[in-house]
Amino acid sequence: MNRSHKRYVRLMLACFAATLLPILALNLQLGSQTLGNTSRVRQASTWQQATHGVTYAPTLSDTGLFKTLRLHDRLPEINGVVFGSSTVLGVSAAAFPPPMKAYNFAQTGHGLISVIGEAEWLMAHTDNVKYLVIPLDWSLGFIYAEGEPVPIDLAIAAAQQQATTHANTVPLLDRVRDALSYPRVVSLFDILRQILRAQDSRAVFRQYFLQAVSDDYRCADGTWAKDFDTIYRGTCTGFRFDGSATFANLEPVKDARPLILSATVSSSKYTINLMSRQGEPNPAMLRHLAALARQAESKGGKLLLFMPPLLPGMEAAFLQHPQWSATLEHTKDALRAWATRENMVILDAGQSERFGCNAAEFADEHHAFSTCYAKVFAAFWSNYSRTGGSNITWPSGGLY
């Protein structure tokens, strides 16, 4: 290596030391208070149960323990549970009419196989849960996933053990990756700006770097909030009392057209998922869902399946595409025939524009905000069912 090359390497190392190392050190300090910290999760759950406020429990990418604690706290007062992945986190309790009282148990990355195992545990271990609301995502490939659903233990002790084991085995490399992740870096710069602009910079510094949790504060709608992580602190990002997410950290879609164009190319995750089984849903999951429907009905309740809303125009683009339309139509035909045969109700909200949703009610192609979900379910209850008092009259089995 000649002298100029050595000088270049030294310059690059100096730049790294001057920029990334301080960022890494500060974010490792912030992360040490929350990453894998199960006590913070328990504190967040206890606070929300007492206040009915919005809280961010570390971290939104791994909420199994938090949601399990919240579910058990809410069990005495609910009779329904919404399952699924982050695509379903926009569903609020207000989307369901009396007598349904639901808690949103959805968690990031939770596929249908996991959801079925959770629903089976609740059916077997609770008396009052009789309404199950479960998504059938084709765009994320969950209805095509291979395998047989397996039992999942939703007992608090099991969730605590799993979380503790994970917390004790978070390797340094994972902590470094978390510290240098885009959300953490953006959050750090926002924190530093707040410190520099604050009248009492020391107080703001103490709140972030020395104070494990935020002070209580009010959201724009007057709801109390408290953050048990430093990321998105003070923004009302997190979960509401009913388990739904505020999505306050996400910007709404401004122009759907480029997203739809990229979604329909052959290399997109949506196309790859759709074509993974040539549009044929996994029959093992359908068998388990049919069994869950019968269990819910034996309790006087119902299993409501739904295909989550997609960005307006996206599913229509797939249904009009010369290569993908037949496969997606096959999925819908297979689900329609199965639902009719098993007398099960599926609400098809994929074309969200049919329900009046607009692009600004989405964070991306498949994450709908609560306002869109409110329109979807309002249309279903109004057009296909009758509700009133303590009864719901459901439509016959099929795809709606």
Side-chain angles (χ1 to χ4, degrees):
M1 183 181 294
N2 60 39
R3 183 174 300 175
S4 62
H5 288 164
K6 290 180 180 178
R7 189 162 50 247
Y8 173 78
V9 171
R10 285 196 294 268
L11 177 62
M12 290 298 100
L13 290 174
C15 290
F16 173 80
T19 55
L20 287 183
L21 280 182
I23 292 173
L24 176 61
L26 289 171
N27 272 341
L28 283 175
Q29 169 60 25
L30 293 172
S32 66
Q33 303 177 35
T34 55
L35 191 63
N37 193 329
T38 58
S39 66
R40 294 281 181 272
V41 177
R42 291 193 296 272
Q43 291 171 24
S45 177
T46 300
W47 179 87
Q48 188 173 73
Q49 181 66 12
T51 65
H52 295 197
V54 171
T55 187
Y56 186 117
T59 85
L60 286 186
S61 62
D62 184 10
T63 57
L65 176 58
F66 176 77
K67 279 299 187 87
T68 302
L69 291 171
R70 299 303 307 121
L71 174 65
H72 281 273
D73 278 341
R74 297 297 312 278
L75 277 177
E77 59 199 50
I78 64 172
N79 59 13
V81 177
V82 180
F83 300 87
S85 70
S86 59
T87 62
V88 184
L89 284 175
V91 180
S92 68
F96 306 103
M100 292 181 69
K101 299 176 182 178
Y103 176 73
N104 189 327
F105 188 63
Q107 301 167 54
T108 299
H110 248 41
L112 184 56
I113 283 184
S114 297
V115 161
I116 290 172
E118 293 168 344
E120 289 175 340
W121 188 93
L122 277 175
M123 284 288 97
H125 292 85
T126 63
D127 295 324
N128 56 315
V129 174
K130 59 181 181 178
Y131 295 106
L132 307 175
V133 184
I134 295 179
L136 302 175
D137 296 82
W138 71 261
S139 65
L140 299 183
F142 291 155
I143 60 174
Y144 310 123
E146 300 290 349
E148 184 89 20
V150 296
I152 292 180
D153 190 351
L154 289 185
I156 291 179
Q160 179 67 59
Q161 178 61 42
Q162 183 178 4
T164 301
T165 301
H166 175 72
N168 292 336
T169 58
V170 177
L172 177 61
L173 182 58
D174 285 352
R175 295 181 183 273
V176 170
R177 285 172 178 160
D178 177 75
L180 294 178
S181 66
Y182 179 76
R184 290 286 182 189
V185 173
V186 170
S187 177
L188 175 62
F189 278 103
D190 183 61
I191 291 170
L192 296 177
R193 278 195 297 270
Q194 291 183 50
I195 293 173
L196 291 174
R197 294 173 181 174
Q199 290 184 342
D200 189 348
S201 296
R202 290 184 178 181
V204 177
F205 178 88
R206 182 176 62 254
Q207 181 180 151
Y208 279 107
F209 290 95
L210 303 178
Q211 186 174 318
V213 301
S214 78
D215 298 328
D216 291 15
Y217 64 96
R218 294 277 191 178
C219 299
D221 63 359
T223 305
W224 281 108
K226 191 180 188 73
D227 304 313
F228 291 78
D229 199 341
T230 56
I231 193 169
Y232 307 129
R233 184 170 284 190
T235 63
C236 285
T237 296
F239 295 114
R240 302 182 183 94
F241 184 66
D242 65 6
S244 63
T246 66
F247 290 126
N249 60 308
L250 301 178
E251 293 292 329
V253 171
K254 292 181 173 61
D255 186 357
R257 290 171 297 180
L259 295 177
I260 293 171
L261 286 174
S262 63
T264 53
V265 300
S266 60
S267 58
S268 83
K269 60 184 175 183
Y270 305 108
T271 302
I272 292 172
N273 290 333
L274 174 63
M275 302 304 292
S276 61
R277 283 177 54 94
Q278 299 303 307
E280 184 66 28
N282 180 346
M285 289 194 283
L286 298 186
R287 288 196 301 271
H288 280 258
L289 288 171
L292 281 170
R294 304 292 87 86
Q295 287 181 282
E297 290 162 3
S298 70
K299 292 184 173 185
K302 190 74 173 180
L303 167 61
L304 173 59
L305 301 171
F306 70 100
M307 302 178 77
L310 298 173
L311 187 64
M314 176 173 159
E315 186 171 280
F318 272 91
L319 290 171
Q320 295 165 10
H321 197 282
Q323 291 177 273
W324 322 132
S325 59
T327 305
L328 183 51
E329 288 285 9
H330 176 72
T331 296
K332 291 178 180 289
D333 289 343
L335 290 175
R336 182 182 295 106
W338 169 73
T340 302
R341 184 174 65 252
E342 296 289 345
N343 193 28
M344 298 171 64
V345 175
I346 304 177
L347 168 59
D348 184 2
Q351 295 183 60
S352 61
E353 61 271 24
R354 293 195 303 121
F355 302 88
C357 296
N358 57 65
E361 293 175 301
F362 284 78
D364 54 27
E365 297 92 334
H366 59 273
H367 285 100
F369 296 147
S370 296
T371 52
C372 176
Y373 268 113
K375 295 175 182 178
V376 166
F377 282 106
F380 172 76
W381 303 120
S382 175
N383 297 331
Y384 302 114
S385 70
R386 293 199 307 277
T387 62
S390 60
N391 295 310
I392 298 177
T393 302
W394 299 86
S396 58
L399 188 68
Y400 294 88

